Structures are given as structure tokens and as C-alpha cells.
Amino acid sequence: MGATERDSYHHGDLRAALIEASESIIREEGVEGFTLRKAAKRAGVSPGAPSHHFKGTKGLLTVVAIRVFQRLGAELAILPVSDVPARDLRTQAEGYVTFAAQNPGLFRLICRVDLIDCQDQEFREASFSALVHYRNAAAAYFGEDPPDRAARIFRPYLASAFATAHGLAHMILEGRPALLFDTPDPAETFIETTLPSILLATWPDRPCEVRHSA
């Protein structure tokens, strides 16, 4: 790192600037358009600075992915909760799909396990915590105990619950709503008018649940 960079940034400030620059690039160009050189240029530092602070592309993208998961978790955490498990699961799924539609580049990043260090402990914690409300809603719907983060075992009902929302998210990112809607924003139209009915067909209210919550 050059003297000018040391004078312009404290260590934490330079790190934050590179993370912000990386997020901006991914938002604008997608993860395919990201390079360390672009991140350095946008942050106003030397080309070698990202590797110095993050040990390469994977290190920097892992930190960005952690922030994306934290943001996703914060949005899912504030969604309304009811006494009807099916309704809560649909709400979480809709929130997940909406986040993907509003943050396509960043969402694609967290799906690219080849570009991030999935064994990084902070990443593992962030990815688990982000979806805890989704997991709990799915567990309640399927009559299971909430998943224990210490017991990372395959649960078919969770795979099913996530596959539904994940698949719908990627349908939107692939532009498929444009085949259904001739509107200025087909993805938004799909989310507002069609997604709720798809989720209701997937996880319908059970009569006993509705009577209990009334």
C-alpha cells in the first residue's frame, strides 16, 4: 500500500471502502462484472490493496456475502408473524423472493458457492442466522422442532421449503415474469399479483389452524 493510501485511510476505513465499492459494482454489473482491479479503482486505492486486506477475490466476496446475508436476515426478521404456520411460511417465502428481486446481483453472489468461502465461520453464522425465521416457520408448518444450528443435518422438509422460494426467486431473475406481464416492471407485478397465489397453493392454510387463530 502506498503512502497516499495510508494517509487517506485508516485500516478499517480502507477495508470498508473496498467492501462498499465491491457491492456497488455487483449491484451495477452483477458478480460476473466484478474484479479486484475494479474494486480498487472505485475505492481509489492501488490494485494490490484488495488482495492485501482480503487475501484475494474469494476473501473479499465472502465478506460482501456476509453483509448480504445480514441484510436479508434483517428484512426477514421484521416480517409479521401470525398464529397460522402456513401464513408465516408464505410470508417468509415472499420476503425471500422479494429480496432477490430487489437485489439481483447480490442475491446471485450468495448463491455462488464457487466464489465465496463457505467454510468461513463468520459466513456460516451469517448464512444460518439470516434464515432462522424462515426455518422456524417451515418447522412449525411441518410439525417439526426448530432446527438446531449445532446439528447441521439434512432435513427434507427444509430443503422443500427453501427450494420453492429459491426456484421462484431465480425465475424472476431470469426474467420470466416478462412472459406473463406486459407492464413497466413485470417482476414487481408478478410479486404483487401472482406470487401470493402460488405460495397459497403450495402451503395452504389448514382449516384447524384458521379456526384456532380466529
Side-chain angles (χ1 to χ4, degrees):
M1 190 190 308
T4 301
E5 289 171 21
R6 285 195 297 268
D7 292 340
S8 300
Y9 290 100
H10 294 294
H11 178 87
D13 292 339
L14 192 151
R15 181 180 174 88
L18 286 167
I19 295 169
E20 292 292 341
S22 301
E23 282 197 16
S24 296
I25 293 167
I26 295 170
R27 284 186 182 278
E28 296 168 12
E29 304 181 35
V31 69
E32 297 80 7
F34 173 83
T35 66
L36 289 181
R37 183 171 292 274
K38 284 183 181 178
K41 183 177 180 180
R42 184 164 299 200
V45 299
S46 68
S51 292
H52 175 77
H53 285 273
F54 298 97
K55 300 181 180 178
T57 301
K58 182 169 282 191
L60 178 49
L61 290 181
T62 298
V63 174
V64 175
I66 289 169
R67 282 166 51 109
V68 176
F69 268 118
Q70 290 170 342
R71 196 171 302 143
L72 170 61
E75 295 197 11
L76 295 182
I78 63 174
L79 294 175
V81 177
S82 71
D83 294 327
V84 181
R87 191 175 301 161
D88 292 341
L89 182 51
R90 294 196 302 268
T91 297
Q92 286 291 309
E94 186 170 339
Y96 183 90
V97 173
T98 300
F99 181 88
Q102 293 176 345
N103 304 275
L106 296 174
F107 181 80
R108 284 192 174 99
L109 169 63
I110 64 175
C111 299
R112 291 290 301 273
V113 296
D114 58 320
L115 298 179
I116 52 185
D117 181 5
C118 296
Q119 299 307 311
D120 179 89
Q121 284 303 117
E122 189 176 355
F123 173 82
R124 289 169 66 89
E125 176 63 26
S127 61
F128 186 93
S129 297
L131 299 169
V132 67
H133 296 283
Y134 198 127
R135 287 188 184 87
N136 290 346
Y141 178 80
F142 287 101
E144 302 284 346
D145 293 329
D148 179 2
R149 73 180 62 203
R152 292 179 178 264
I153 60 175
F154 178 74
R155 296 176 174 85
Y157 76 89
L158 274 183
S160 172
F162 280 121
T164 298
H166 201 67
L168 289 166
H170 278 283
M171 284 178 59
I172 291 176
L173 298 189
E174 291 166 4
R176 293 186 177 274
L179 302 176
L180 300 174
F181 302 103
D182 183 16
T183 61
D185 190 340
E188 182 178 2
T189 304
F190 176 85
I191 290 172
E192 291 179 352
T193 67
T194 306
L195 179 61
S197 61
I198 294 175
L199 297 177
L200 181 60
T202 305
W203 301 304
D205 293 335
R206 293 171 177 145
C208 60
E209 293 174 346
V210 176
R211 285 198 298 270
H212 182 267
S213 65

